[in-house]
Amino acid sequence: MKPFVVKPAGAFSGRVSLPGDKSISHRAVILSALSSAKTTLENFPANDDCLATLKAFRQLGIRSTLKKSEVLIYGKGLFGLKKPGRPIYLTDSGTSLRLLLGVLAGQRFSVRLTAGKSLSRRPMKRVTIPLRRMGAEIKSRMGEFAPITIKGGNLKGIIYKMPVASAQVKSAILLAALYAKGKTRVIEAIPTRDHTERMLKIFKGKMLKSPGKIYIPGDISSAAFFMVAGSIIPCSKILIKNVSLNPTRTGAVKVLKRMGACINVKCQMSNVKCAEPIGDVLVESSKLKGVRISKMEIPSLIDELPVLMVAASLARGKSVFEGVGELRVKETDRIRSMTENLKKMGADIRVSKVKAGESIIINGVKGLKGARVKSFGDHRTAMSMIVAGFAAKGTTHIDDVSCISKSFPDFIRVIKSLLTFYLTRGLIPDRIPYTP
Ligand code: S3P
């Protein structure tokens, strides 16, 4: 594979509408499949992860069609799933695998779930422990990794105090609870994204009544790359339309504002077709300063940490990201992938291990320099390094960016469409006016 080449960007300007939120889309597919009517999902992102969930439900007997960004799902009711003829392969989609385990915990047939190389290395114990306690029979590869075989039925409700802050685990338990006798309660020490709870509300809880149409707002995790690029590349101005502004997901916006970023939410509305807050976000370049991120904030920006590391590398002063240990068990070990890459580009970044967990410490530098870096097969590492490459002096080579299709297949085309020119020309563009 040829490396992807990034040259320094002059400025970014224009407006973008982003594909639907990945987390919300998984939940929309699942609850639509379990309701007993047709549901239309608008602005559905045709990325590898969401397609893995859609295909899994096809194997479970749920008909669906996908045209451009619209999906029709013909739900068959809570007990309408059928035993698939062969194992379900979930590619490297952790959300698909963990949430599906919750649904399958309620089925009376057994299913084998298999995963790609990276997902097969990610921990499943966090989800199999509570589901077993609810009554599911689960067999997995030694150490509790995929492939996993699950047979459900006869579930009972549980009160579960979450040992890790994970929305995927919480969601798996809540989905299993739809099939359980008695009450289920999940107790979180640190709140995590609440899309399952919101989606259950629009399906009228256990009634699972389809709302007919659901609009999926733009993905805030994808928006974060534009927020950082727009902040660190001088003379930039980017308007991000219709993005999800769920408070359990907006940690990166808050942190960037603390860093001095010029990010303003325009036209915020509560979207009736998805029960999620949504709005337009305007980003303009500014001088950033260092920031402290506390452990409590981590779940609200967990997926944005790689690109925030890029921002902190170019900010004035010191940044400390506390309690970031969960980054070790993402698509790749993102502490390693990002520190290795950013160090090659001249960043001053280190990891410190204390009793309370791991922290990342970054002392901002004047500038980054182009280097040969690696995506480690991880979509968010790849996109973060593209942003870093645009901000750096010289040329950056990224070994393989095909992994970007996991969440945002069109990322490179979209970000390049905002590029007014490459810095080599040395021009400064006029500031563009804001037009909502
Ligand atoms: C997700 C939850 C988070 C996040 C992942 C999507 C979800 O994972 O990192 O990208 O949709 O519930 P954890 O539950 O492992 O924290």
Side-chain angles (χ1 to χ4, degrees):
M1 165 123 358
K2 258 189 160 173
F4 182 73
V5 178
V6 192
K7 298 224 161 111
F12 289 106
S13 72
R15 60 168 73 194
V16 282
S17 285
L18 299 174
D21 185 89
K22 185 156 84 72
S23 291
I24 299 174
S25 302
H26 286 295
R27 277 108 174 139
V29 170
I30 294 171
L31 292 189
S32 300
L34 301 182
S35 82
S36 45
K38 182 179 92 173
T39 309
T40 305
L41 310 183
E42 296 170 341
N43 200 32
F44 184 82
N47 58 42
D48 297 351
D49 278 19
C50 292
L51 290 178
T53 294
L54 201 62
K55 285 181 188 160
F57 278 93
R58 283 186 188 151
Q59 272 189 259
L60 290 161
I62 302 298
R63 195 158 72 85
S64 60
T65 58
L66 169 66
K67 244 193 220 149
K68 287 194 178 152
S69 59
E70 192 175 271
V71 178
L72 304 186
I73 298 174
Y74 299 85
K76 286 198 168 166
L78 195 55
F79 295 98
L81 302 181
K82 71 164 189 17
K83 182 176 166 64
R86 55 193 162 82
I88 300 179
Y89 175 59
L90 294 162
T91 64
D92 279 316
S93 177
T95 313
S96 307
L97 176 53
R98 293 192 178 118
L99 269 54
L100 200 56
L101 281 170
V103 173
L104 295 175
Q107 314 302 320
R108 288 179 191 282
F109 48 81
S110 82
V111 183
R112 187 169 164 81
L113 303 175
T114 60
K117 214 168 146 192
S118 122
L119 182 54
S120 299
R121 284 195 296 256
R122 294 177 66 185
M124 291 299 138
K125 203 173 182 171
R126 51 183 64 194
V127 63
T128 56
I129 287 178
L131 294 179
R132 277 201 189 101
R133 262 185 57 195
M134 293 177 85
E137 286 171 35
I138 302 173
K139 281 191 207 117
S140 60
R141 188 164 57 84
M142 238 215 345
E144 212 71 331
F145 295 103
I148 297 181
T149 304
I150 179 163
K151 181 170 182 297
N154 283 331
L155 299 189
K156 59 176 194 310
I158 50 166
I159 296 177
Y160 194 67
K161 220 172 150 187
M162 299 261 293
V164 275
S166 162
Q168 293 177 355
V169 175
K170 172 177 67 177
S171 302
I173 299 170
L174 293 179
L175 290 167
L178 293 171
Y179 296 90
K181 264 202 199 115
K183 229 186 203 165
T184 290
R185 234 176 104 193
V186 181
I187 302 162
E188 297 186 286
I190 308 179
T192 61
R193 63 193 70 190
D194 62 357
H195 305 304
T196 305
E197 297 89 307
R198 285 172 184 264
M199 195 60 74
L200 277 167
K201 256 190 206 148
I202 62 169
F203 278 86
K204 304 229 183 320
K206 269 203 163 178
M207 283 172 65
L208 291 175
K209 194 172 171 306
S210 168
K213 250 186 197 157
I214 299 175
Y215 175 81
I216 319 276
D219 197 321
I220 182 114
S221 297
S222 302
F225 299 106
F226 297 90
M227 290 180 200
V228 171
S231 297
I232 62 179
I233 309 282
C235 299
S236 294
K237 188 169 186 172
I238 307 173
L239 178 66
I240 309 164
K241 299 284 292 173
N242 295 332
V243 69
S244 156
L245 293 171
N246 180 315
T248 61
R249 293 282 300 282
T250 48
V253 176
K254 289 179 195 143
V255 162
L256 282 167
K257 280 187 165 181
R258 291 211 300 273
M259 295 177 84
C262 182
I263 298 182
N264 287 297
V265 173
K266 308 266 172 191
C267 147
Q268 186 160 5
M269 55 202 161
S270 178
N271 187 297
V272 279
K273 279 199 279 171
C274 69
E276 296 272 351
I278 172 170
D280 297 346
V281 175
L282 182 68
V283 188
E284 291 176 86
S285 45
S286 56
K287 293 235 172 335
L288 300 183
K289 58 178 191 290
V291 72
R292 179 174 286 270
I293 303 178
S294 73
K295 191 178 173 179
M296 284 295 285
E297 291 178 280
I298 296 296
S300 71
L301 46 73
I302 181 79
D303 295 335
E304 292 69 72
L305 282 166
V307 80
L308 288 174
M309 290 186 218
V310 176
S313 297
L314 289 167
R316 188 169 31 83
K318 183 178 172 182
S319 292
V320 181
F321 297 2
E322 293 171 349
V324 294
E326 272 294 300
L327 284 184
R328 297 263 185 222
V329 289
K330 293 295 174 191
E331 281 82 338
T332 189
D333 173 346
R334 286 183 180 154
I335 296 184
R336 179 178 159 219
S337 68
M338 289 305 297
T339 49
E340 260 189 47
N341 282 339
L342 285 172
K343 268 186 194 162
K344 280 189 188 157
M345 295 183 77
D348 178 352
I349 178 166
R350 69 187 167 87
V351 183
S352 107
K353 232 180 175 166
V354 286
K355 244 202 192 151
E358 286 185 275
S359 295
I360 296 170
I361 297 150
I362 303 172
N363 288 303
V365 290
K366 282 239 158 58
L368 294 174
K369 57 177 198 300
R372 288 189 179 271
V373 296
K374 290 196 282 188
S375 67
F376 294 82
D378 169 36
H379 56 138
R380 298 201 205 280
T381 299
M383 288 184 276
S384 300
M385 295 322 295
I386 290 176
V387 171
F390 279 131
K393 240 190 191 157
T395 305
T396 299
H397 294 82
I398 307 167
D399 66 338
D400 178 6
V401 295
S402 60
C403 50
I404 290 176
S405 62
K406 191 173 196 297
S407 63
F408 192 175
D410 225 12
F411 173 73
I412 291 170
R413 189 192 61 76
V414 176
I415 198 155
K416 277 194 169 170
S417 75
L418 297 175
L419 199 59
T420 45
F421 58 95
Y422 278 117
L423 200 60
T424 41
R425 274 198 268 156
L427 302 168
I428 301 289
D430 290 336
R431 295 181 81 72
I432 54 154
Y434 166 69
T435 36

